[in-house]
Amino acid sequence: MKHKIIALITLVSFGVISFSQTAPQLGKDPVSKVIAAMKLEEKASLVVGMGMRMNFPTNEMPGGTVVGQTQELVPGAAGTTCTIPRLGIPSMVVADGPAGLRISPTRPGDDATYYATAFPVGTLLASTWDVDLVNSVGKAMGNEVLEYGVDVILGPGLNIHRNPLCGRNFEYYSEDPFVTGNIAAAMVNGIESNGVGTSIKHYAANNAETNRNSLNTIVSQRALREIYLEGFGIAVKEAQPWTVMSSYNLINGTYAPENYDLITKVLKNDWGFKGYVMTDWFGGRDAAAIVAAGNDLLMPGRPDQKEAIIKAVNEGKLDVKDLDRNVEKILNIILQTPRFKGYKYSNKPDLKTHAQVTRQAASEGMILLKNNNAALPFPQEVKKIAAFGNTSYEIITGGTGSGDVNEAYSVALVEGLQNAGYTVNENLQALYTAYLKAAKEGRERSRGFMMGSVPVSELAIGDDITTSMVNVTDAAIITIGRNSGEGRDRKAEEGDFYLTSTEKDLIKSVCTAYHAKDKKVIVILNIGGVVETASWKDLSDAILLAWQGGQETGNSIADILCGNVNPSGKLASTFPLKYDDVSSAKNFPGKVIGETPQPSEESGGIMAAFMRPRDSEVTYEEGIYVGYRYYNTFNVPVSYEFGYGLSYTTFEYSGLKLSSRRFGKSITATVTVKNTGNVAGKEVVELYLAAPAVRLDKPESELKGFAKTKLLQPGESQTLTFVLDNWSLASFDPVSSSWISDAGTYTVKIGASSKDIRQTATFSLGKNITVKKESIALVPQVEINELKP
Ligand code: BGC
């Protein structure tokens, strides 16, 4: 008997037998009890994800490989957390984001399909300026997350459009943090209303893709707080997302996931974030430092990270209390997941209904940039259309990389036109189809990990074709396409930011031929980021900025062209005259400072994709003067300004009233908008505030409110209300680390764009105020020679 007891004690102490019936269980026992019962090894395995299958072949691993382990609970998901059955802790499945759920559409040995809806890209959604609409997109997207058995979607993405060349701008919303934060909050609330989680990313100042894993971003505290952190702050305060994803880059010398100031001081202490923080995939270098910083989860997780954490605790280099704190954050979210609750997902979301959601959302965020002599909507007489441009036949629904969704189908522009009852010229269609087919044969399929195919250069169309087309069609459309994505920035070159000479010649030739016969030409921009327009925009009659509208893009464009939908999108990022006019042009994407040997960029290797060890840095010398804050303060002319967009109708603004002439705790502004045209339409109304520059320099004005009217019938009016609170007046003072407002006169400007101001009113602030003191955090180690007006 004595021997038996000793044997049993030995087995238990070596963990061979566990008394699962007596161990505390997550959900039944308090989280604190579960943590108290966890062994160090279990804690470490919970904060380090399980691993991931890298499905792509690389030079290093030609057959693809698995890093760590993977359970493939949902094939194609980006990662899972570890399960600890002894304590009743299940895995959590996380998958990309942000334009829809990214999972494998097919599974070996399974006839069923698992397609997800490709919704419009983030930039388009922000261009709707409609938080209710974005919320409804989020609801539909979140339903797919739930019904495909995923717990957290890795989105939305909300980095600021600091520079038009950032390869992932399409995933992000705007150059303005107020638009960014409010659209993101609406998206998070919509998705999470399904009982699943989001991960707002990439926190923070991840504004370039070049050397993304090792770029040190040197930026002032003021620019961080007002521009790069603010959108995240709004989203956290208004929506409390389940999770936040830290970014790859360093901020003022420290990797984001290892950055205690960024994660614990700002996100958790200053803003009160309650969920957990995860790294971007393989982000950060030092696992123990990541844990200590308050970055709760390391994804997708590598076995060596787990070992490093255990070692650091055992050697007294990492306080186990830090580990416990992170474990608690993760467990608190696991408790909310559908997987923990045992939700029986259907694998059958209502894709048909969601296709309608994406079709409508896309048409609401497309922007009419030009419409001379009411070229659009096409009048009844226009029935036959010549569709020029490769992209008319091969629509771009979204960008490349982890943000790419596996949708069941996509609607090309020509299909959308046909669905709307137009006849698309077949000869021209045959010419393009044959050209595209031939150009794609023998072409390099992909330019490496996560990158899309090499684009087919625009078909050169001679004058003979345009003149023959004009005789047999009523109008012409020219679609110009651009795509970009993760791991690579765009270039200020022809074929990317600038149009190629073939594209410009095409526009010229078609316009000359069609205008000679008094027929209209429409240019459609099917792009994910800003391009140069100034040198060619005078040529065509109309320009529709369609962005990348998800799987129904062709139908959404056609809805606008035929007039079923009156365009109501407006620009959430400026279109400058030329690249050199961008305030960060000389500081983008940064410079290489290290001499570390490089894996070949074209090799498509994991090292190139995730862990490129090339030390580089960038200094945000433009400070807070990003986008319209720069153009409008420094009087730099632009091609299309922030907030701009046309409609098929006209609107009159009147009766701006402020609730008071003196600012107390808040001020309410009301303004009436009337549809003065002939067709029903919606109008985005923008509130800018110009503040006195006393202790701090100030931009000419800043967006502090926006609203979209309902669909107003001709002659109908709506009164809109905006509330300005303490925060609306304040700027961040790095000396006192607080948000402050100066006494003086403030001007409220109600505009149809940042330049088209229709109504103004003033109020005064009687004395200087401090709105909130924040942690002293993220202090740059070098002096930054920042731009000042
Ligand atoms: C991207 C993230 C993405 C993650 C998982 C990373 O390469 O930067 O946005 O969520 O991969 O796929």
Side-chain angles (χ1 to χ4, degrees), residues 78 96 154 168 201-202 212 245 248 280-281 402 486 610:
D96 281 302
L154 304 173
R168 291 184 88 170
K201 68 187 189 185
H202 307 89
R212 64 176 177 159
M245 186 190 292
Y248 285 127
D280 197 347
W281 267 227
S402 60
E486 189 172 347
F610 281 120

Side-chain angles (χ1 to χ4, degrees), residues 52 77-79 94-98 102 154-155 168 171-172 201-202 206 209 212-213 245-246 248 278-282 300 401-403 449-450 486-487 609-610:
M52 86 182 284
V94 305
D96 281 302
R102 179 176 167 83
L154 304 173
R168 291 184 88 170
E171 294 187 58
Y172 307 144
K201 68 187 189 185
H202 307 89
N206 184 180
E209 287 298 295
R212 64 176 177 159
N213 303 93
M245 186 190 292
S246 54
Y248 285 127
M278 71 175 99
T279 62
D280 197 347
W281 267 227
F282 305 108
S402 60
F449 170 65
M450 280 191 169
E486 189 172 347
F610 281 120

Side-chain angles (χ1 to χ4, degrees), residues 426-436 459-461 465:
E426 283 176 3
N427 293 338
L428 194 58
Q429 177 160 14
L431 186 71
Y432 273 101
T433 315
Y435 169 73
L436 289 167
L459 172 61
I461 293 278
I465 297 176

Side-chain angles (χ1 to χ4, degrees), residues 602-782:
E602 305 305 327
S603 75
I606 286 183
M607 291 301 285
F610 281 120
M611 311 187 66
R612 182 194 304 256
R614 186 185 280 174
D615 294 338
S616 56
E617 67 177 32
V618 60
T619 305
Y620 287 12
E621 287 185 304
E622 72 284 358
I624 60 165
Y625 296 99
V626 175
Y628 71 92
R629 284 172 171 76
Y630 170 70
Y631 302 113
N632 292 356
T633 308
F634 292 84
N635 295 316
V636 178
V638 299
S639 188
Y640 296 110
E641 76 268 15
F642 178 82
Y644 170 87
L646 301 174
S647 163
Y648 294 156
T649 186
T650 49
F651 297 96
E652 183 188 272
Y653 292 51
S654 66
L656 171 62
K657 275 195 208 73
L658 302 183
S659 57
S660 167
R661 286 269 163 218
R662 285 181 76 80
F663 191 87
K665 282 208 167 75
S666 67
I667 273 192
T668 303
T670 49
V671 68
T672 300
V673 177
K674 183 177 180 190
N675 181 347
T676 48
N678 300 322
V679 289
K682 298 178 186 174
E683 172 76 333
V684 171
V685 181
E686 302 152 38
L687 185 153
Y688 296 88
L689 188 66
V694 185
R695 289 175 289 175
L696 297 169
D697 53 296
K698 291 270 191 176
E700 179 268 338
S701 64
E702 294 178 281
L703 185 82
K704 297 294 175 185
F706 65 87
K708 196 165 189 171
T709 65
K710 61 182 182 175
L711 186 72
L712 293 175
Q713 297 303 322
E716 196 183 0
S717 307
Q718 185 179 355
T719 299
L720 300 170
T721 304
F722 304 87
V723 179
L724 295 171
D725 61 14
N726 270 334
W727 290 97
S728 318
L729 278 57
S731 295
F732 188 79
D733 171 31
V735 176
S736 59
S737 202
S738 49
W739 293 89
I740 59 168
S741 313
D742 286 322
T745 303
Y746 290 72
T747 307
V748 174
K749 303 176 173 186
I750 303 288
S753 83
S754 59
K755 294 221 159 169
D756 184 5
I757 301 300
R758 305 286 183 86
Q759 299 263 293
T760 59
T762 58
F763 65 84
S764 65
L765 178 67
K767 59 175 186 352
N768 291 347
I769 50 175
T770 297
V771 176
K772 187 175 178 245
K773 186 140 182 55
E774 307 280 28
S775 312
I776 299 171
L778 300 161
V779 182
Q781 292 148 335
V782 289

